[in-house]
Amino acid sequence: LDFSVGAKQTEYLRNSQLNSTDGNFAVDGALHFDHAHTLSLSLLSELNHEDRAAPEAPRNAAERTAVFHNRAIAGIRRDAGRLWASFSTSVERWDFQNVRARDGTTIDQNARDTQITAAQLRLGYRFSPGFEFESKVRALRQSNFNPGAIDFSANGYEAVAGLSAEVNPLLRWRLLGGYGFRDYDSAKLRAAGNLLVEAELQWLPTQLATVYATARRAYSEGITGDGAGGRIDSSLGARVEYEALRNLVFTLGGEYRQSEFLGQSRLDHVTIGRVGFDYYHTKNWLFSLAYEHQEQRSNVEEDNFTRNRLWLTTRLRF
């Protein structure tokens, strides 16, 4: 059993109305009742504050939206020989709190409250050293408890399959592809089907440098306050980590994301670049400094913006 409790305080030198305090509590457990079978349980409860630049965030909010997030996952896994399989069920809920608007009024966000109940089956087969076939099938129920003009409750189904490989100790990759479907309860919404992609690469070109790359196309179930019920995100990302010293790691990365909003004609293009470093002062204290440049271009003029952020982070773990 692993228990963890955390808290985060965010302070802005300017725009102090964005200051926030977050907290979380988590429990993770596993029971290995023989050499091949494992039962697992994961519980999480947290309070987060939504970034005002998040795709679903209300564009006229003066503050960051408080979100209560709770999740429970239970599963069983069998792993013996070349063949492994796992089955899990999960319940995840987001409760969005009302937030103050720029004009001083209150933005009611009850329509965004969402729960996802899901079941997932995974199968894998190691057909040669370092190479593995993997498949996933997932069924879910999206429940919109306080719908606004449109109820975005839906049944969802996803299936992906592909290969993962550790070609050598310096290179690992994983590539899955498949199809996903959302069938909405409301007659105002059309059923939506889309291709799904999960791709990951890890490469160690030198003893001190590690390169990570990802490509992804997936559903996001978040509901906006202006009539969109989730989105399809297609993204490409890369990150380089360089270990200059034993306790000093520099990071350079970037991401491109295209978001298609379901229930709307809105289409966003987001480009992000980041640079920073992590200094591990001791095993308990971590100091980070980072800079991020973000540009968002949308076919909805009000959603266009450019943002630059510089932040210093101190983490204490014990």
Side-chain angles (χ1 to χ4, degrees), residues 10-14 273 275-277 288-293 307-313:
T10 304
E11 300 282 344
Y12 286 78
L13 293 179
R14 293 184 293 179
V275 62
F277 70 84
S288 302
L289 180 67
Y291 166 76
E292 177 185 274
H293 175 78
R307 181 173 70 169
N308 293 282
R309 291 198 298 171
L310 178 68
W311 69 92
L312 172 67
T313 303

Side-chain angles (χ1 to χ4, degrees), residues 227-271:
R231 63 185 195 273
I232 298 292
D233 286 339
S234 302
S235 63
L236 295 171
R239 186 176 83 256
V240 179
E241 293 183 354
Y242 181 74
E243 188 176 339
L245 298 172
R246 177 185 57 82
N247 59 346
L248 180 61
V249 179
F250 288 90
T251 303
L252 175 66
E255 178 185 356
Y256 169 77
R257 183 178 71 246
Q258 175 182 284
S259 298
E260 308 167 43
F261 288 77
L262 303 176
Q264 284 186 342
S265 58
R266 176 181 166 188
L267 181 65
D268 289 355
H269 299 270
V270 181
T271 305

Side-chain angles (χ1 to χ4, degrees), residues 154-158 179-184 189-196 217 219 229-232 260-263:
N155 295 318
Y157 311 93
E158 299 175 1
Y179 192 77
F181 189 78
R182 294 292 186 273
D183 184 12
Y184 293 95
L189 298 171
R190 295 185 303 170
N194 281 277
L195 296 176
L196 304 178
R217 181 173 172 85
Y219 282 96
R231 63 185 195 273
I232 298 292
E260 308 167 43
F261 288 77
L262 303 176

Side-chain angles (χ1 to χ4, degrees), residues 108-126:
D108 187 340
Q109 300 204 83
N110 286 335
R112 299 180 62 194
D113 293 347
T114 307
Q115 178 173 299
I116 303 292
T117 305
Q120 178 173 266
L121 175 65
R122 300 179 62 197
L123 297 172
Y125 181 72
R126 307 177 183 98

Side-chain angles (χ1 to χ4, degrees), residues 5 30 51 90 99 141 162 177 191-192 224-225 260 281 286 299 309 311:
V5 178
D51 188 344
S90 64
V99 66
R141 173 65 182 175
T224 70
E260 308 167 43
H281 180 62
L286 169 66
N299 59 353
R309 291 198 298 171
W311 69 92

